[in-house]
Amino acid sequence: MINVESYVNDQWVCPGDSAQVIVSAVNGEAVARAGSDQLNIAAMLDCARIQAGPALREMTFHQRATRLKALATYLNENKQHLTELSFHTGATQADSAIDIEGGIGTLFVYASKAKRELPDDHILLDGDVEQLSRHGTFIGQHIYTSRQGVAVQINAFNFPVWGMLEKLAPALLAGVPSIIKPATVTSYLTAACFKLMVDSKIFPAGSMQLIVGRPTGLFEQLQSQDHVSFTGSAQTAFELRSHRHLLKHSIGFNAEQDSLNSTVLGEDVTVGSDDFNVFVDEIYREITTKAGQKCTAIRRIMVPHAIKADIAEAVCAKLTSVKVGHPKNADTEMGALVSISQREDVLQKSELIAQEASLLTTAKPLESTDLDTSIGAFMRPRFYLCDNPDAARHVHNTEAFGPVATLMPYNDVSHAAELLNRGGGSLVASVVTQDPQFAKAITLASAAHHGRLYFNNSTSASEATGHGSPLPHMTHGGPGRAGGGEELGGIRAVKHYMQRTSLQGSGDILSGIGNCYFPGATQIESDVHPFRKTFDHLQIAETIKVGPRQVSIDDIEHFAHFTGDTFYAHMDEKAASANPFFPGRVAHGYLLLAFAAGLFVDPDPGPVLANSGLDGLSFQKPVVAGDSISVTLTVKSKKRRNSEYGEVRWHVQLLNQHKEAVASYELHTMNAIDAA
Ligand code: NAP
């Protein structure tokens, strides 16, 4: 029997006398003891706030990302025993892969996104600089900095590994230590994965701690820099988020809670078509994966009246033949629920649904297999038909957290959307259609009620990621019933553990803080051409001014014929003059860019390896033959990519002979790093 230990202030703490025995979902045998008596919460919080927080915040985003990748690699290499433990939770091999490999994959994605999208710095700029004064001496910029507190993460039972890792990754990247509280019933699996992370010693001591059992006294000791992320039932979320201490100190609370997710079949789909099959397959997968114990699983299914019987038949055929069995067996398609009491809960909730809907699946007895349902939490899927969904109540608000779903007919697209929205806010709604108009109508009527809209059809099916799969790249969460929270969504999730602050001040002050050149800040005249400097030697705000170069009518003619861009504004004086934007024939914008490069480029081989793109190009004033342009090239920001090169972003400003801005953009180059 496993003693599931908490991890407090760098020490493992055994389960106490009050610990509960957790039994296998499959055969009822005791697997673990979990639950601690009073833990030293104060020491735990001190360890996080005083020891781990500063150590994490000292690292840049990139340094944390490097460790996160190392952690993911370590887990990947040492995860073998986790799947074995996962069988006790009722999860099949495929279910366990979603949880374990999916969780580790989330760490990898976050590590690589952070390297690409976050600076090698401690401060994250948010949006563009704001011009707050006429002459540009006073500007504004939003930034994010790490919260100086603790991320408390309370997780549901159904994804013991993924649930922990998807919250941990963004918190670690943000530089905030975590206190993780897994659901007790599957805590032995979470704790096994947690132990690997601690043993790896990849993150500083105290970066992650574990409370097994109830976190008694924790909330009362949280402070305003702390944050609580919760996943679980709406009832628990309500109780926890209304904790007096959290409210009094404005302590952030993010809730991911239960949700009546739905799927809709488009009016364009015909019986037996590929799209029809995509729809049926997706429903089957959602009902049977994790035995329906997924927060995103499909609970309500809306189809056109005319096709209702065909869908019912096709889904029933698949569900009645699903092989429910021991999770370890290779041919098992659906494992057990997490516990007998969870199955009781699902059956009770199904009875509520049955008041408004008829059961379509025939109850093929499980006893025909080798399963003992008195000790294993197995059940067959239950698929209902609700013929009058407008009058129904339970089918729209009862979450049976197991393999249970209800089919209902709709009249037209607005009726389908109305039924979708009866869930009171969900994590995800999916639509199978080939018709963009149907998709748009659903989006307009329903997007505000759902955290994610997932459109699928036979064109996208082979690559679609699945109705029920939250992805690290995309926001997971939903309004209303779903908790009103947000997780994942790429770097957005990192920001949940950071504070946004608006900075106002001069260009020099803000450039110094943000480690980024903002217009208005003092430019540093470069002693040698900046293209001769390696990545490490370039300074932020380092500048050269080059030019002028006069633009002639021959230049414009030559460029037009050479490139084939003989647009009338460059070639026809009369037509150009009639255009409200131009005084007459004007130089091509691309000609100006080419001339600018010709002015600022230093041609010989050197540290600049490549021009990798440009952003934010704008033409501010037309240039006519006879005008002269000059260019200011300024180092705006730098980001190390690897040990060989880094990306330099340059602010490029083109002026005419009257010092008027004619064009500006941000140029990106890859610059060599000094050999070590
Ligand atoms: P739950 O009973 O609400 O428990 C969720 C977590 O809260 C568990 O860790 C639980 O710990 C803890 N908890 C309960 N009471 C607490 C208290 N007074 N103080 C501190 N912690 C407390 O939910 P569950 O049964 O584990 O999970 C199933 C539900 O979660 C379903 O409704 C499902 O829809 C939802 N869910 C939502 C998402 C999502 O992303 N939106 C994901 C997964 C699941 P104990 O285990 O020790 O009680």
Side-chain angles (χ1 to χ4, degrees):
M1 175 134 65
I2 303 164
N3 277 314
V4 191
E5 295 176 314
S6 295
Y7 188 66
V8 176
N9 191 16
D10 233 356
Q11 283 175 353
W12 295 100
V13 181
C14 276
D17 293 342
S18 60
Q20 74 183 71
V21 173
I22 303 166
V23 299
S24 162
V26 181
N27 57 21
E29 283 174 12
V31 178
R33 283 181 71 245
S36 312
D37 297 334
Q38 186 59 51
L39 296 169
N40 191 344
I41 298 287
M44 200 169 202
L45 289 167
D46 280 353
C47 171
R49 291 186 184 128
I50 299 169
Q51 206 181 332
L56 282 170
R57 291 198 297 276
E58 202 169 296
M59 297 177 209
T60 65
F61 290 111
H62 282 203
Q63 288 167 333
R64 292 176 214 137
T66 301
R67 291 194 191 215
L68 196 62
K69 185 172 178 192
L71 187 67
T73 307
Y74 183 89
L75 289 180
N76 218 18
E77 287 165 358
N78 295 281
K79 66 184 178 207
Q80 296 75 5
H81 63 298
L82 300 183
T83 305
E84 198 57 33
L85 284 176
S86 180
F87 288 133
H88 291 303
T89 71
T92 63
Q93 185 93 35
D95 295 336
S96 301
I98 297 171
D99 186 32
I100 299 165
E101 269 86 26
I104 296 170
T106 301
L107 298 190
F108 275 120
V109 170
Y110 265 100
S112 92
K113 281 186 96 56
K115 277 282 176 83
R116 274 182 283 119
E117 297 172 36
L118 292 173
D120 190 12
D121 206 331
H122 304 89
I123 291 178
L124 175 60
L125 303 182
D126 176 43
D128 290 334
V129 69
E130 297 285 346
Q131 212 68 48
L132 300 179
S133 62
R134 180 185 286 257
H135 301 295
T137 59
F138 195 70
I139 58 175
Q141 173 69 45
H142 292 94
I143 59 159
Y144 281 99
T145 53
S146 309
R147 285 180 180 275
Q148 297 171 12
V150 180
V152 173
Q153 296 161 358
I154 302 176
N155 292 315
F157 72 78
N158 56 339
F159 286 108
V161 175
W162 178 86
M164 166 173 64
L165 298 183
E166 60 108 14
K167 287 189 174 73
L168 188 62
L172 287 173
L173 283 177
V176 180
S178 297
I179 293 179
I180 298 155
K181 187 258 171 286
T184 304
V185 69
T186 50
S187 57
Y188 52 89
L189 176 51
T190 311
C193 180
F194 180 88
K195 186 160 188 336
L196 286 176
M197 296 196 285
V198 172
D199 289 349
S200 77
K201 296 195 186 322
I202 288 170
F203 277 93
S207 298
M208 50 192 94
Q209 302 183 75
L210 187 73
I211 295 181
V212 180
R214 283 295 155 91
T216 312
L218 174 64
F219 276 25
E220 289 76 3
Q221 296 181 57
L222 295 183
Q223 298 172 357
S224 60
Q225 288 289 304
D226 301 331
H227 182 81
V228 180
S229 306
F230 169 84
T231 299
S233 63
Q235 182 56 34
T236 312
F238 174 72
E239 283 164 25
L240 298 185
R241 77 178 346 150
S242 46
H243 192 286
R244 217 179 126 69
H245 185 83
L246 298 193
L247 296 177
K248 187 170 174 197
H249 297 276
S250 309
I251 294 166
F253 189 94
N254 186 74
E256 293 296 327
Q257 58 194 44
D258 52 45
S259 167
L260 272 293
N261 315 290
S262 321
T263 189
V264 179
L265 184 65
E267 289 171 303
D268 56 304
V269 178
T270 53
V271 177
S273 64
D274 290 346
D275 293 323
F276 181 94
N277 294 333
V278 165
F279 187 69
V280 171
D281 288 349
E282 194 104 57
I283 293 168
Y284 170 79
R285 213 172 20 250
E286 287 303 314
I287 294 177
T288 55
T289 303
K290 284 290 288 184
Q293 299 164 113
K294 279 196 316 179
C295 55
T296 48
I298 292 171
R299 309 286 175 208
R300 300 179 307 139
I301 300 154
M302 290 110 200
V303 300
H305 259 292
I307 215 171
K308 174 186 77 175
D310 302 281
I311 292 287
E313 190 185 339
V315 174
C316 278
K318 286 185 84 106
L319 288 180
T320 40
S321 62
V322 63
K323 176 101 180 61
V324 179
H326 194 294
K328 264 190 189 176
N329 293 346
D331 63 344
T332 292
E333 291 165 327
M334 192 175 105
L337 276 73
V338 75
S339 64
I340 300 269
S341 69
Q342 179 63 23
R343 185 180 62 193
E344 283 311 308
D345 186 66
V346 171
L347 293 175
Q348 265 179 26
K349 303 260 173 67
S350 304
E351 291 313 313
L352 284 178
I353 292 169
Q355 291 175 16
E356 299 166 344
S358 45
L359 185 64
L360 296 176
T361 35
T362 48
K364 186 172 151 193
L366 279 168
E367 287 65 27
S368 64
T369 72
D370 59 351
L371 305 176
D372 182 346
T373 52
S374 67
I375 52 171
F378 299 95
M379 70 176 278
R380 286 215 151 266
R382 292 190 162 205
F383 188 51
Y384 291 92
L385 170 66
C386 174
D387 259 324
N388 188 0
D390 295 323
R393 189 167 58 90
H394 298 308
V395 296
H396 300 299
N397 66 18
T398 304
E399 186 203 41
F401 201 60
V404 180
T406 307
L407 178 67
M408 56 195 81
Y410 71 80
N411 307 325
D412 56 23
V413 63
S414 56
H415 187 219
E418 200 181 304
L419 293 174
L420 266 182
N421 301 348
R422 289 278 304 270
S426 89
L427 295 170
V428 51
S430 60
V431 183
V432 172
T433 183
Q434 294 278 357
D435 179 2
Q437 293 311 318
F438 185 86
K440 180 154 186 187
I442 290 284
T443 304
L444 285 173
S446 265
H449 294 256
H450 310 281
R452 179 160 60 93
L453 284 183
Y454 168 92
F455 295 98
N456 199 9
N457 56 36
S458 52
T459 314
S460 55
S462 66
E463 291 195 307
T465 47
H467 161 106
S469 306
L471 300 175
H473 318 71
M474 308 299 290
T475 297
H476 172 59
R481 169 82 189 239
E486 271 190 14
E487 282 179 344
L488 301 175
I491 296 305
R492 288 176 189 84
V494 179
K495 295 175 183 171
H496 294 157
Y497 296 98
M498 305 186 82
Q499 176 63 42
R500 181 166 41 202
T501 304
S502 75
L503 299 182
Q504 292 169 242
S506 71
D508 283 340
I509 295 291
L510 267 53
S511 291
I513 295 171
N515 202 19
C516 175
Y517 167 80
F518 295 121
T522 308
Q523 294 168 333
I524 305 167
E525 210 169 310
S526 199
D527 46 350
V528 295
H529 193 289
F531 274 32
R532 307 254 46 90
K533 293 191 172 182
T534 57
F535 180 85
D536 306 277
H537 286 92
L538 278 172
Q539 295 179 65
I540 301 297
E542 193 161 348
T543 298
I544 52 161
K545 294 186 179 183
V546 286
R549 171 174 184 156
Q550 193 171 49
V551 181
S552 69
I553 197 73
D554 283 351
D555 291 332
I556 298 173
E557 294 267 344
H558 175 76
F559 190 80
H561 293 301
F562 176 57
T563 61
D565 180 353
T566 52
F567 188 60
Y568 73 88
H570 315 304
M571 306 305 286
D572 181 337
E573 183 65 32
K574 194 167 164 220
S577 306
N579 181 310
F581 288 96
F582 304 126
R585 287 179 74 179
V586 294
H588 305 66
Y590 300 123
L591 171 63
L592 300 180
L593 291 196
F595 277 177
L599 287 171
F600 66 65
V601 155
D602 185 73
D604 292 334
V608 177
L609 305 174
N611 168 353
S612 55
L614 64 83
D615 269 351
L617 170 63
S618 73
F619 296 114
Q620 290 123 3
K621 197 171 174 62
V623 171
V624 297
D627 283 351
S628 294
I629 57 160
S630 54
V631 183
T632 306
L633 179 75
T634 307
V635 177
K636 183 176 179 190
S637 64
K638 303 195 306 176
K639 183 145 90 174
R640 186 177 288 266
R641 282 291 180 87
N642 56 34
S643 58
E644 288 170 21
Y645 59 86
E647 185 187 67
V648 180
R649 296 190 169 215
W650 310 78
H651 176 68
V652 187
Q653 179 71 65
L654 276 65
L655 302 174
N656 65 16
Q657 65 276 20
H658 307 298
K659 304 271 179 258
E660 294 166 324
V662 295
S664 63
Y665 55 98
E666 186 182 280
L667 170 73
H668 306 172
T669 60
M670 291 299 171
N671 285 40
I673 282 172
D674 285 337

